[in-house]
Amino acid sequence: MSELRDLYQELILDHNKNPRNFREMAEATHQADGHNPLCGDRIRIYLKVVDDRIADVTFKGSGCAISQSSASLMTTFLKGKTVFEARELFQHFHDLVTGHPVSPEKLAELGKLAVFEGVQEFPTRVKCASLAWHTLVSALEGDSDLTTTE
Ligand code: ZN
């Protein structure tokens, strides 16, 4: 298990050091800002939605390794998904990090996102891991107010 943990840690560190899709998007159809005041994490999510499908998703931000790597991993999962599928993924991810039961099928869908399962033991870290996802939902809903975890 500790080997698996090391592997997960590596994945988080890698995404923190080399964040994927880390850029502004001029042609974004949706965007939102998120803030986790407890930790100081900031995330801006950019989405390009075409025919109810996420054609592109990028982010900018600063903060702890968990918040930034979570946002990075999230963007790699969302490209090509429908808005409905993205919301479903958010629900499964939220269940996972808050310690709610997640079926094996849903866990399989989450794939590498399951790396964040360990944060459920640390309530303040749950907010770091889920900030990007809450901000994503705000962007999809066209909510331009700052999303905060408080
Ligand atoms: Zn954080």
Side-chain angles (χ1 to χ4, degrees):
M1 188 63 200
S2 77
E3 239 174 70
L4 199 62
R5 243 167 226 244
D6 288 351
L7 205 68
Y8 281 171
Q9 210 127 48
E10 251 172 58
L11 189 71
I12 288 175
L13 292 177
D14 174 46
H15 273 267
N16 181 48
K17 217 168 129 190
N18 306 299
R20 320 301 198 266
N21 305 305
F22 188 82
R23 58 187 161 82
E24 291 174 26
M25 195 200 299
E27 69 277 21
T29 57
H30 300 65
Q31 70 181 62
D33 289 301
H35 182 214
N36 173 15
L38 266 186
C39 183
D41 309 316
R42 289 186 179 278
I43 298 275
R44 175 173 287 175
I45 302 284
Y46 302 88
L47 287 168
K48 186 180 174 188
V49 179
V50 179
D51 295 335
D52 234 27
R53 194 173 284 277
I54 297 173
D56 202 6
V57 49
T58 65
F59 81 104
K60 290 284 278 183
S62 60
C64 70
I66 291 188
S67 69
Q68 303 303 303
S69 61
S70 177
S72 173
L73 260 169
M74 182 186 82
T75 61
T76 66
F77 266 76
L78 290 177
K79 216 178 271 190
K81 295 263 192 299
T82 64
V83 169
F84 179 77
E85 288 168 336
R87 285 175 185 280
E88 275 205 327
L89 261 182
F90 163 75
Q91 198 52 55
H92 301 339
F93 183 81
H94 196 260
D95 285 347
L96 181 81
V97 297
T98 52
H100 289 87
V102 177
S103 71
E105 294 78 28
K106 287 175 183 171
L107 205 59
E109 251 175 69
L110 287 169
K112 281 182 180 171
L113 293 171
V115 63
F116 295 101
E117 186 176 16
V119 302
Q120 60 183 249
E121 295 162 43
F122 309 98
T124 57
R125 289 308 202 180
V126 170
K127 296 183 175 178
C128 300
S130 55
L131 176 64
W133 289 88
H134 284 294
T135 309
L136 165 81
V137 170
S138 295
L140 286 172
E141 284 169 3
D143 182 357
S144 55
D145 290 344
L146 182 68
T147 304
T148 89
T149 51
E150 294 308 299

